Amino acid sequence: MTVIDIPGSKSVTARALFLAAAAEGTTTLLRPLVSDDTEGFAEGLAALGYAVRREPGAWHIEGRPAGPGAETADVYCRDGATTARFLPTLAAAGHGTYRFDASEQMRRRPLGPLTTALRGLGVDLRHGGKEGHHPLDVHAHGVKGGALTLDAGQSSQYLTALLMLGPLTAEGLDITVTDLVSEPYVEITLAMMRSFSAEVRREGRTYRVAPTGYRARTYGIEPDASTASYFFAAAALQPGRSVTVPGLGTGALQGDLAFVDVLRRMGADVEIGADATTVRSTGTLRGLTVTMRDISDTMPTLAAIAPFAEGPVRIEDVANTRVKECDRLDACAENLRRLGITVRTGPDWIEIHPGTPAGPVEIATHGDHRIVMSFAVTALRTPGVTFDDPGCVKKTFPDFHRVFDTFVRTP
């Protein structure tokens, strides 16, 4: 059995940085993820006037409940969707003029439902180019609060940003959601807000957030379940292999741990303990039809091992993967076809038929970290697989290639 220590969760680290910045007092984050996305978030906080001190294994953030310390700031969000969506929302609660921009890749990703909602709350927010996309200027004068309706069918991050804003408003927020994707990520948000002393409850489709503010604390970041999926998939794919990931167990916040339930349905042996999860290969992978709306970040992981199943693998209800770092449905289909695999796609689904992937093939990554890490698993049984941009894993796991190679070489 191989034990793998997975870096901290990107989703949890980003939320913790927002909550720490908004809290009264100094928060210490233990084992935060160190990657391009999270470093970009921390640098964005510093540009806004928050004091952030980073040391190995711990980041310390001095909270400012009244909002950014800077009256003006230019913030570059890099490729980070959480940075690009959370920081303008945090800044709106303060007083000043803040300009946000992002990479070309992030400029293509939508912001519209979030910025529409913020405008509905009275935030003076202006897009500098295409409406509903970066760049944008926020002329902040605090947020009174009130009731709003939100479509979070493209991204749960719109709802998360507004939920975390709620305790910073004068009167609180009532957010009624008409559509919601990746709901387990919202559950992460709610649990973390409560850990920082917020009061939030759900009544049907409406989330009610009280104007309590936040209180600082020491907060440990659990391992990233989406990142763990590549190692779980690799173990399931290779006869005789097993892997244990400590820190992800029955009490884990992240819904993406449910990926191991998909592997169990396909035939893998899965054990979820109190503080660790183990996946063992049984030598068999069955085909299946699975809805992955709530765990769509692991869709490419499943697509990458699907050709090795005994029957077709059909993944449904993943339309939101078309507006990630790239159109992941098309990227997976494109690369699987390059490998000689029969693939069909629709607006929100992909169907992959059994086959033997054949190299040599250069995987078109489209600058997407999850495409690289997923097809690294395919490469375990496909000689000659290379990547046109292997370094884009820096977004969430800069050391991925070394760690994955060590895992592959460990009996």
Side-chain angles (χ1 to χ4, degrees):
M1 177 189 301
T2 304
V3 177
I4 294 287
D5 289 318
I6 300 293
S9 163
K10 180 190 75 165
S11 300
V12 175
T13 301
R15 286 161 174 76
L17 285 168
F18 182 113
L19 298 171
E24 181 70 47
T26 298
T27 291
T28 296
L29 304 182
L30 303 176
R31 303 177 303 278
L33 173 64
V34 180
S35 72
D36 193 67
D37 270 15
T38 57
E39 289 181 333
F41 201 119
E43 288 178 8
L45 286 177
L48 289 168
Y50 296 91
V52 180
R53 181 169 61 87
R54 291 181 273 174
E55 60 184 13
W59 290 1
H60 310 276
I61 300 95
E62 293 182 21
R64 294 186 56 86
E71 293 183 359
T72 63
D74 290 283
V75 179
Y76 182 62
C77 300
R78 305 191 191 182
D79 286 337
T82 50
T83 309
R85 291 162 178 167
F86 294 177
L87 285 187
T89 307
L90 175 65
H95 293 79
T97 299
Y98 310 106
R99 292 169 292 275
F100 297 87
D101 203 355
S103 67
E104 285 301 319
Q105 184 189 70
M106 188 60 226
R107 280 186 172 195
R108 291 192 294 269
R109 298 182 67 178
L111 290 174
L114 174 61
T115 54
T116 297
L118 289 172
R119 283 171 171 160
L121 293 171
V123 177
D124 183 356
L125 186 153
R126 305 167 192 175
H127 290 282
K130 184 179 179 182
E131 185 66 23
H133 294 262
H134 275 290
L136 59 87
D137 292 351
V138 177
H139 302 272
H141 48 80
V143 180
K144 180 180 178 182
L148 63 93
T149 300
L150 176 72
D151 181 349
Q154 282 184 326
S155 174
S156 64
Q157 290 176 4
Y158 306 148
L159 177 56
T160 281
L162 292 164
L163 286 169
M164 293 194 298
L165 172 66
L168 303 178
T169 65
E171 298 179 359
L173 286 180
D174 286 354
I175 308 167
T176 300
V177 179
T178 58
D179 192 17
L180 178 60
V181 70
S182 302
E183 186 171 347
Y185 282 91
V186 177
E187 294 302 317
I188 295 174
T189 304
L190 298 178
M192 292 185 66
M193 289 173 63
R194 291 170 182 138
S195 292
F196 282 79
S197 303
E199 295 177 12
V200 55
R201 68 184 190 277
R202 180 176 180 177
E203 298 175 1
R205 289 181 171 269
T206 299
Y207 296 81
R208 303 191 187 281
V209 190
T212 55
Y214 296 105
R215 288 197 291 275
R217 55 163 297 172
T218 297
Y219 192 89
I221 308 297
E222 68 185 30
D224 195 296
S226 307
T227 298
S229 74
Y230 312 115
F231 296 88
F232 290 141
L237 182 62
Q238 299 175 284
R241 289 302 306 265
S242 66
V243 67
T244 295
V245 175
L248 287 176
T250 52
L253 291 174
Q254 298 162 83
D256 276 6
L257 184 57
F259 179 74
V260 299
D261 295 325
V262 178
L263 294 177
R264 180 188 282 121
R265 288 180 57 192
M266 296 181 76
D269 181 26
V270 175
E271 180 182 348
I272 304 177
D275 193 43
T277 294
T278 298
V279 173
R280 300 180 183 87
S281 172
T282 61
T284 298
L285 286 176
R286 296 186 291 267
L288 81 171
T289 297
V290 59
T291 295
M292 299 188 79
R293 179 182 180 88
D294 285 341
I295 56 170
S296 60
D297 275 350
T298 62
M299 179 278 291
T301 320
L302 179 55
I305 64 170
F308 304 102
E310 295 176 347
V313 171
R314 183 180 173 95
I315 305 169
E316 298 181 336
D317 206 359
V318 286
N320 68 312
T321 64
R322 293 192 179 278
V323 291
K324 297 285 187 175
E325 282 79 350
C326 71
D327 183 330
R328 288 180 178 161
L329 272 178
D330 279 357
C332 287
E334 169 195 2
N335 285 305
L336 288 168
R337 288 173 181 139
R338 287 185 177 193
L339 290 161
I341 301 302
T342 299
V343 182
R344 299 170 56 234
T345 61
D348 67 346
W349 58 269
I350 183 170
E351 184 176 282
I352 302 154
H353 289 255
T356 302
V361 166
E362 183 178 73
I363 298 298
T365 65
H366 300 279
D368 191 329
H369 58 133
R370 299 212 182 278
I371 299 299
V372 176
M373 292 188 279
S374 296
F375 279 89
V377 182
T378 311
L380 293 175
R381 289 175 55 176
T382 311
V385 170
T386 58
F387 301 94
D388 63 5
D389 184 11
C392 68
V393 296
K394 68 181 181 181
K395 180 176 175 67
T396 52
F397 194 173
D399 209 21
F400 171 78
H401 294 292
R402 184 193 65 80
V403 174
F404 195 73
D405 185 62
T406 300
F407 165 73
V408 170
R409 296 175 184 274
T410 303

